[in-house]
Amino acid sequence: VISHTEVLPFDFERVRDVPDEGQNIHGLFMEGARWDRPLSRLEESEPKKLFTGMPAIYVTATTAKDLKAMGLNHGPHGPYNSAVYKYPKRNDRYLIFRLLLKTELHPYHWKLRGVCLVAQTE
């Protein structure tokens, strides 16, 4: 069993239905990049903006076989495997989980920039 995440195209306030399985989470911030909502992918951050808010994210569990059957397209080089931390101080003690984000650039591009998601900005 592995986790499956999907960034929704809208904010948590616009979520109408509760999913039968899984959970919608909100209140996360991206550090080092931004989420382009119309294109649903990672983009370069805007100048002088360290943290940007993320839309709601649907998290559920699935098997690897079912995940392959979904046929998700994360871009030409594959998804960026981003860490989600409680605090901006990054260590394994504050790691919550990891999620896959769609990108058109190579995932190493974002890794070199130190892109991650945090639950608190201070």
Side-chain angles (χ1 to χ4, degrees):
V1 175
I2 57 174
S3 65
H4 167 65
T5 56
E6 182 180 338
V7 180
L8 302 176
F10 43 82
D11 288 322
F12 182 73
E13 292 81 26
R14 297 188 59 206
V15 173
R16 302 240 186 262
D17 298 327
V18 177
D20 294 335
E21 191 175 292
Q23 188 69 37
N24 290 321
I25 59 173
H26 66 99
L28 295 178
F29 299 91
M30 184 173 287
E31 181 180 356
R34 69 181 173 89
W35 185 255
D36 188 341
R37 292 176 191 224
L39 298 175
S40 294
R41 67 179 185 199
L42 275 176
E43 291 291 334
E44 295 291 339
S45 60
E46 295 173 355
K48 298 187 180 184
K49 279 195 152 185
L50 184 59
F51 299 103
T52 57
M54 284 289 289
I57 301 172
Y58 173 66
V59 181
T60 188
T62 186
T63 62
K65 182 179 176 183
D66 290 342
L67 193 61
K68 281 187 179 182
M70 287 181 199
L72 299 174
N73 181 14
H74 288 292
H77 303 288
Y80 171 63
N81 190 356
S82 175
V84 180
Y85 295 101
K86 280 187 190 179
Y87 309 111
K89 183 175 181 174
R90 303 174 190 194
N91 61 36
D92 58 342
R93 187 173 175 191
Y94 300 135
L95 179 68
I96 300 172
F97 70 104
R98 301 188 75 84
L99 61 94
L100 300 176
L101 296 173
K102 180 181 175 184
T103 177
E104 293 297 312
L105 299 174
H106 200 282
Y108 286 132
H109 175 83
W110 303 111
K111 189 171 187 174
L112 289 172
R113 284 181 166 38
V115 175
C116 72
L117 275 71
V118 293
Q120 295 181 14
T121 57
E122 295 178 9

